[in-house]
Amino acid sequence: KDALVVRHIVDGAGVTWAGSSPQRGLFCFGCDDGRLVLQDLAGRSLHTYRGQVSGGQAVNGVAFLPGWMAVSTQANLSLWEL
């Protein structure tokens, strides 16, 4: 299938990381302002984790395990219990 390449903006911030969410049918976007945003297929933001997750730095990686989330930036690796 063809892919559509766009510059995705999430609530005014640029996306620096994109992946799946632990919740079925949602995307997880890491932003240049340090937020993580969960969006549905229609582009509606359903949940936002603000700067406490990344210290306000651009997110460059996210991983999920049952009950846990890891977020990386150039300076930090944070583990969060969900």
Side-chain angles (χ1 to χ4, degrees):
K1 294 189 177 193
D2 292 331
L4 175 64
V5 178
V6 297
R7 176 162 161 50
H8 192 76
I9 302 293
V10 175
D11 301 329
V15 173
T16 55
W17 182 87
S20 62
S21 163
Q23 294 178 284
R24 186 178 178 100
L26 297 181
F27 292 108
C28 179
F29 295 109
C31 298
D32 58 7
D33 64 0
R35 288 181 292 152
L36 287 180
V37 180
L38 302 183
Q39 285 189 341
D40 64 12
L41 295 173
R44 291 182 297 243
S45 296
L46 302 178
H47 190 78
T48 299
Y49 297 93
R50 301 225 177 255
Q52 74 272 14
V53 175
S54 66
Q57 298 177 17
V59 173
N60 63 14
V62 180
F64 294 97
L65 288 174
W68 289 90
M69 174 175 64
V71 179
S72 65
T73 67
Q74 285 188 332
N76 299 319
L77 173 63
S78 301
L79 299 173
W80 293 87
E81 190 170 10
L82 301 175

